[in-house]
Amino acid sequence: MSDHVAFALLVYTGIHIFATVGAMKATGLKTGALFALCFLVAAIIPALRKFERRWTTLSDEQAVDPDYAPAFRRDLAFLWILAIGLPFALTFMFRAMAG
C-alpha cells in the first residue's frame, strides 16, 4: 500500500498543478491556488497516511490472508479515484466560483 500511496500522491500533485493551478491563472483567482495547496497539506496527506497505516499494521499472517484481498482492492480503487478525481473536482469548484 505504501507504494500506491506514494504514487497516488505524485499523481494527485501532478494533476493538481496542471489542472487546478492552470484554472486559477485562467480565472484570475490567485488565492485559490494557495487554498488548494492548503487543502493538499491539511486533508490529502493525512487521508493518505490513514490508507497506509491501515495496511502497514497488519501482521505477516494477515498480510497474506486472502480474506483481506477484497478490502485491499476496494481501498486501492478509492485511493486512485481520490487521487485522480479530487484535482478535477477542485478545478470545477474554482471555475464555478469564478463564475
PDB file of all heavy atoms in Angstrom, residues 64-83:
ATOM      1  N   VAL A  64      -0.930 -11.921   4.119  1.00  0.00           N
ATOM      2  CA  VAL A  64      -1.103 -12.919   3.061  1.00  0.00           C
ATOM      3  C   VAL A  64      -2.460 -13.613   3.119  1.00  0.00           C
ATOM      4  O   VAL A  64      -2.726 -14.505   2.315  1.00  0.00           O
ATOM      5  CB  VAL A  64       0.031 -13.982   3.095  1.00  0.00           C
ATOM      6  CG1 VAL A  64       1.370 -13.326   2.809  1.00  0.00           C
ATOM      7  CG2 VAL A  64       0.047 -14.718   4.416  1.00  0.00           C
ATOM      8  N   ASP A  65      -3.307 -13.189   4.033  1.00  0.00           N
ATOM      9  CA  ASP A  65      -4.641 -13.781   4.169  1.00  0.00           C
ATOM     10  C   ASP A  65      -5.527 -13.340   2.993  1.00  0.00           C
ATOM     11  O   ASP A  65      -5.731 -12.153   2.776  1.00  0.00           O
ATOM     12  CB  ASP A  65      -5.266 -13.331   5.491  1.00  0.00           C
ATOM     13  CG  ASP A  65      -6.572 -14.027   5.791  1.00  0.00           C
ATOM     14  OD1 ASP A  65      -7.084 -14.785   4.941  1.00  0.00           O
ATOM     15  OD2 ASP A  65      -7.092 -13.806   6.906  1.00  0.00           O
ATOM     16  N   PRO A  66      -6.069 -14.293   2.218  1.00  0.00           N
ATOM     17  CA  PRO A  66      -6.904 -13.930   1.063  1.00  0.00           C
ATOM     18  C   PRO A  66      -8.206 -13.220   1.455  1.00  0.00           C
ATOM     19  O   PRO A  66      -8.823 -12.572   0.618  1.00  0.00           O
ATOM     20  CB  PRO A  66      -7.203 -15.252   0.373  1.00  0.00           C
ATOM     21  CG  PRO A  66      -6.548 -16.315   1.149  1.00  0.00           C
ATOM     22  CD  PRO A  66      -5.839 -15.720   2.314  1.00  0.00           C
ATOM     23  N   ASP A  67      -8.601 -13.330   2.707  1.00  0.00           N
ATOM     24  CA  ASP A  67      -9.814 -12.638   3.145  1.00  0.00           C
ATOM     25  C   ASP A  67      -9.651 -11.112   3.110  1.00  0.00           C
ATOM     26  O   ASP A  67     -10.642 -10.391   3.048  1.00  0.00           O
ATOM     27  CB  ASP A  67     -10.204 -13.069   4.558  1.00  0.00           C
ATOM     28  CG  ASP A  67     -10.667 -14.521   4.604  1.00  0.00           C
ATOM     29  OD1 ASP A  67     -11.094 -15.039   3.549  1.00  0.00           O
ATOM     30  OD2 ASP A  67     -10.598 -15.126   5.694  1.00  0.00           O
ATOM     31  N   TYR A  68      -8.425 -10.634   3.158  1.00  0.00           N
ATOM     32  CA  TYR A  68      -8.171  -9.192   3.119  1.00  0.00           C
ATOM     33  C   TYR A  68      -8.106  -8.650   1.686  1.00  0.00           C
ATOM     34  O   TYR A  68      -8.105  -7.436   1.486  1.00  0.00           O
ATOM     35  CB  TYR A  68      -6.860  -8.854   3.829  1.00  0.00           C
ATOM     36  CG  TYR A  68      -6.955  -8.894   5.335  1.00  0.00           C
ATOM     37  CD1 TYR A  68      -6.545 -10.018   6.037  1.00  0.00           C
ATOM     38  CD2 TYR A  68      -7.451  -7.813   6.044  1.00  0.00           C
ATOM     39  CE1 TYR A  68      -6.626 -10.074   7.416  1.00  0.00           C
ATOM     40  CE2 TYR A  68      -7.542  -7.852   7.416  1.00  0.00           C
ATOM     41  CZ  TYR A  68      -7.126  -8.983   8.108  1.00  0.00           C
ATOM     42  OH  TYR A  68      -7.213  -9.024   9.468  1.00  0.00           O
ATOM     43  N   ALA A  69      -8.034  -9.514   0.704  1.00  0.00           N
ATOM     44  CA  ALA A  69      -7.867  -9.081  -0.684  1.00  0.00           C
ATOM     45  C   ALA A  69      -8.990  -8.168  -1.175  1.00  0.00           C
ATOM     46  O   ALA A  69      -8.713  -7.133  -1.791  1.00  0.00           O
ATOM     47  CB  ALA A  69      -7.705 -10.280  -1.614  1.00  0.00           C
ATOM     48  N   PRO A  70     -10.271  -8.469  -0.936  1.00  0.00           N
ATOM     49  CA  PRO A  70     -11.324  -7.557  -1.399  1.00  0.00           C
ATOM     50  C   PRO A  70     -11.238  -6.170  -0.756  1.00  0.00           C
ATOM     51  O   PRO A  70     -11.430  -5.160  -1.427  1.00  0.00           O
ATOM     52  CB  PRO A  70     -12.627  -8.256  -1.009  1.00  0.00           C
ATOM     53  CG  PRO A  70     -12.268  -9.696  -0.875  1.00  0.00           C
ATOM     54  CD  PRO A  70     -10.850  -9.704  -0.391  1.00  0.00           C
ATOM     55  N   ALA A  71     -10.923  -6.115   0.519  1.00  0.00           N
ATOM     56  CA  ALA A  71     -10.785  -4.818   1.201  1.00  0.00           C
ATOM     57  C   ALA A  71      -9.593  -4.044   0.649  1.00  0.00           C
ATOM     58  O   ALA A  71      -9.653  -2.822   0.479  1.00  0.00           O
ATOM     59  CB  ALA A  71     -10.640  -5.019   2.702  1.00  0.00           C
ATOM     60  N   PHE A  72      -8.508  -4.764   0.353  1.00  0.00           N
ATOM     61  CA  PHE A  72      -7.329  -4.115  -0.216  1.00  0.00           C
ATOM     62  C   PHE A  72      -7.648  -3.535  -1.583  1.00  0.00           C
ATOM     63  O   PHE A  72      -7.316  -2.385  -1.875  1.00  0.00           O
ATOM     64  CB  PHE A  72      -6.179  -5.118  -0.310  1.00  0.00           C
ATOM     65  CG  PHE A  72      -4.891  -4.515  -0.768  1.00  0.00           C
ATOM     66  CD1 PHE A  72      -4.122  -3.758   0.095  1.00  0.00           C
ATOM     67  CD2 PHE A  72      -4.437  -4.703  -2.069  1.00  0.00           C
ATOM     68  CE1 PHE A  72      -2.920  -3.199  -0.324  1.00  0.00           C
ATOM     69  CE2 PHE A  72      -3.252  -4.156  -2.495  1.00  0.00           C
ATOM     70  CZ  PHE A  72      -2.483  -3.397  -1.619  1.00  0.00           C
ATOM     71  N   ARG A  73      -8.322  -4.303  -2.431  1.00  0.00           N
ATOM     72  CA  ARG A  73      -8.694  -3.801  -3.767  1.00  0.00           C
ATOM     73  C   ARG A  73      -9.653  -2.626  -3.659  1.00  0.00           C
ATOM     74  O   ARG A  73      -9.546  -1.665  -4.419  1.00  0.00           O
ATOM     75  CB  ARG A  73      -9.291  -4.933  -4.600  1.00  0.00           C
ATOM     76  CG  ARG A  73      -8.242  -5.893  -5.134  1.00  0.00           C
ATOM     77  CD  ARG A  73      -8.806  -6.831  -6.188  1.00  0.00           C
ATOM     78  NE  ARG A  73      -9.924  -7.638  -5.700  1.00  0.00           N
ATOM     79  CZ  ARG A  73      -9.807  -8.814  -5.107  1.00  0.00           C
ATOM     80  NH1 ARG A  73      -8.604  -9.328  -4.934  1.00  0.00           N
ATOM     81  NH2 ARG A  73     -10.870  -9.486  -4.719  1.00  0.00           N
ATOM     82  N   ARG A  74     -10.587  -2.687  -2.708  1.00  0.00           N
ATOM     83  CA  ARG A  74     -11.524  -1.579  -2.507  1.00  0.00           C
ATOM     84  C   ARG A  74     -10.777  -0.309  -2.093  1.00  0.00           C
ATOM     85  O   ARG A  74     -11.021   0.775  -2.616  1.00  0.00           O
ATOM     86  CB  ARG A  74     -12.559  -1.942  -1.442  1.00  0.00           C
ATOM     87  CG  ARG A  74     -13.609  -0.857  -1.216  1.00  0.00           C
ATOM     88  CD  ARG A  74     -14.418  -1.069   0.034  1.00  0.00           C
ATOM     89  NE  ARG A  74     -13.540  -0.964   1.198  1.00  0.00           N
ATOM     90  CZ  ARG A  74     -13.428  -1.879   2.153  1.00  0.00           C
ATOM     91  NH1 ARG A  74     -14.122  -2.992   2.090  1.00  0.00           N
ATOM     92  NH2 ARG A  74     -12.616  -1.696   3.171  1.00  0.00           N
ATOM     93  N   ASP A  75      -9.838  -0.452  -1.165  1.00  0.00           N
ATOM     94  CA  ASP A  75      -9.063   0.712  -0.729  1.00  0.00           C
ATOM     95  C   ASP A  75      -8.200   1.261  -1.852  1.00  0.00           C
ATOM     96  O   ASP A  75      -8.049   2.477  -1.993  1.00  0.00           O
ATOM     97  CB  ASP A  75      -8.196   0.358   0.475  1.00  0.00           C
ATOM     98  CG  ASP A  75      -8.972   0.338   1.771  1.00  0.00           C
ATOM     99  OD1 ASP A  75     -10.194   0.631   1.754  1.00  0.00           O
ATOM    100  OD2 ASP A  75      -8.364   0.026   2.819  1.00  0.00           O
ATOM    101  N   LEU A  76      -7.628   0.367  -2.661  1.00  0.00           N
ATOM    102  CA  LEU A  76      -6.836   0.832  -3.806  1.00  0.00           C
ATOM    103  C   LEU A  76      -7.701   1.598  -4.797  1.00  0.00           C
ATOM    104  O   LEU A  76      -7.295   2.652  -5.301  1.00  0.00           O
ATOM    105  CB  LEU A  76      -6.163  -0.339  -4.520  1.00  0.00           C
ATOM    106  CG  LEU A  76      -4.917  -0.905  -3.884  1.00  0.00           C
ATOM    107  CD1 LEU A  76      -4.354  -2.037  -4.748  1.00  0.00           C
ATOM    108  CD2 LEU A  76      -3.864   0.153  -3.661  1.00  0.00           C
ATOM    109  N   ALA A  77      -8.884   1.092  -5.086  1.00  0.00           N
ATOM    110  CA  ALA A  77      -9.785   1.777  -6.017  1.00  0.00           C
ATOM    111  C   ALA A  77     -10.162   3.157  -5.478  1.00  0.00           C
ATOM    112  O   ALA A  77     -10.122   4.151  -6.213  1.00  0.00           O
ATOM    113  CB  ALA A  77     -11.035   0.936  -6.269  1.00  0.00           C
ATOM    114  N   PHE A  78     -10.505   3.225  -4.203  1.00  0.00           N
ATOM    115  CA  PHE A  78     -10.867   4.507  -3.600  1.00  0.00           C
ATOM    116  C   PHE A  78      -9.689   5.468  -3.607  1.00  0.00           C
ATOM    117  O   PHE A  78      -9.839   6.658  -3.895  1.00  0.00           O
ATOM    118  CB  PHE A  78     -11.389   4.297  -2.171  1.00  0.00           C
ATOM    119  CG  PHE A  78     -11.865   5.557  -1.535  1.00  0.00           C
ATOM    120  CD1 PHE A  78     -13.024   6.183  -1.972  1.00  0.00           C
ATOM    121  CD2 PHE A  78     -11.152   6.121  -0.493  1.00  0.00           C
ATOM    122  CE1 PHE A  78     -13.454   7.359  -1.387  1.00  0.00           C
ATOM    123  CE2 PHE A  78     -11.579   7.294   0.108  1.00  0.00           C
ATOM    124  CZ  PHE A  78     -12.728   7.921  -0.336  1.00  0.00           C
ATOM    125  N   LEU A  79      -8.506   4.961  -3.308  1.00  0.00           N
ATOM    126  CA  LEU A  79      -7.291   5.784  -3.311  1.00  0.00           C
ATOM    127  C   LEU A  79      -7.062   6.408  -4.677  1.00  0.00           C
ATOM    128  O   LEU A  79      -6.827   7.617  -4.790  1.00  0.00           O
ATOM    129  CB  LEU A  79      -6.091   4.920  -2.905  1.00  0.00           C
ATOM    130  CG  LEU A  79      -4.710   5.553  -3.046  1.00  0.00           C
ATOM    131  CD1 LEU A  79      -4.549   6.664  -2.028  1.00  0.00           C
ATOM    132  CD2 LEU A  79      -3.638   4.489  -2.856  1.00  0.00           C
ATOM    133  N   TRP A  80      -7.164   5.610  -5.739  1.00  0.00           N
ATOM    134  CA  TRP A  80      -6.895   6.129  -7.073  1.00  0.00           C
ATOM    135  C   TRP A  80      -8.020   7.028  -7.587  1.00  0.00           C
ATOM    136  O   TRP A  80      -7.765   7.994  -8.298  1.00  0.00           O
ATOM    137  CB  TRP A  80      -6.582   4.985  -8.034  1.00  0.00           C
ATOM    138  CG  TRP A  80      -5.195   4.494  -7.775  1.00  0.00           C
ATOM    139  CD1 TRP A  80      -4.833   3.351  -7.142  1.00  0.00           C
ATOM    140  CD2 TRP A  80      -3.980   5.186  -8.077  1.00  0.00           C
ATOM    141  NE1 TRP A  80      -3.465   3.273  -7.039  1.00  0.00           N
ATOM    142  CE2 TRP A  80      -2.914   4.384  -7.615  1.00  0.00           C
ATOM    143  CE3 TRP A  80      -3.685   6.395  -8.689  1.00  0.00           C
ATOM    144  CZ2 TRP A  80      -1.583   4.756  -7.743  1.00  0.00           C
ATOM    145  CZ3 TRP A  80      -2.355   6.760  -8.827  1.00  0.00           C
ATOM    146  CH2 TRP A  80      -1.326   5.956  -8.358  1.00  0.00           C
ATOM    147  N   ILE A  81      -9.251   6.729  -7.207  1.00  0.00           N
ATOM    148  CA  ILE A  81     -10.354   7.627  -7.577  1.00  0.00           C
ATOM    149  C   ILE A  81     -10.151   8.981  -6.909  1.00  0.00           C
ATOM    150  O   ILE A  81     -10.335  10.035  -7.529  1.00  0.00           O
ATOM    151  CB  ILE A  81     -11.712   7.001  -7.209  1.00  0.00           C
ATOM    152  CG1 ILE A  81     -12.015   5.843  -8.152  1.00  0.00           C
ATOM    153  CG2 ILE A  81     -12.828   8.043  -7.245  1.00  0.00           C
ATOM    154  CD1 ILE A  81     -13.190   4.980  -7.712  1.00  0.00           C
ATOM    155  N   LEU A  82      -9.752   8.958  -5.655  1.00  0.00           N
ATOM    156  CA  LEU A  82      -9.480  10.194  -4.929  1.00  0.00           C
ATOM    157  C   LEU A  82      -8.308  10.951  -5.549  1.00  0.00           C
ATOM    158  O   LEU A  82      -8.394  12.159  -5.775  1.00  0.00           O
ATOM    159  CB  LEU A  82      -9.175   9.869  -3.466  1.00  0.00           C
ATOM    160  CG  LEU A  82      -8.894  11.022  -2.531  1.00  0.00           C
ATOM    161  CD1 LEU A  82     -10.169  11.825  -2.295  1.00  0.00           C
ATOM    162  CD2 LEU A  82      -8.365  10.497  -1.203  1.00  0.00           C
ATOM    163  N   ALA A  83      -7.224  10.250  -5.848  1.00  0.00           N
ATOM    164  CA  ALA A  83      -6.026  10.904  -6.385  1.00  0.00           C
ATOM    165  C   ALA A  83      -6.274  11.517  -7.752  1.00  0.00           C
ATOM    166  O   ALA A  83      -5.731  12.575  -8.066  1.00  0.00           O
ATOM    167  CB  ALA A  83      -4.878   9.899  -6.469  1.00  0.00           C
TER     168      ALA A  83
END
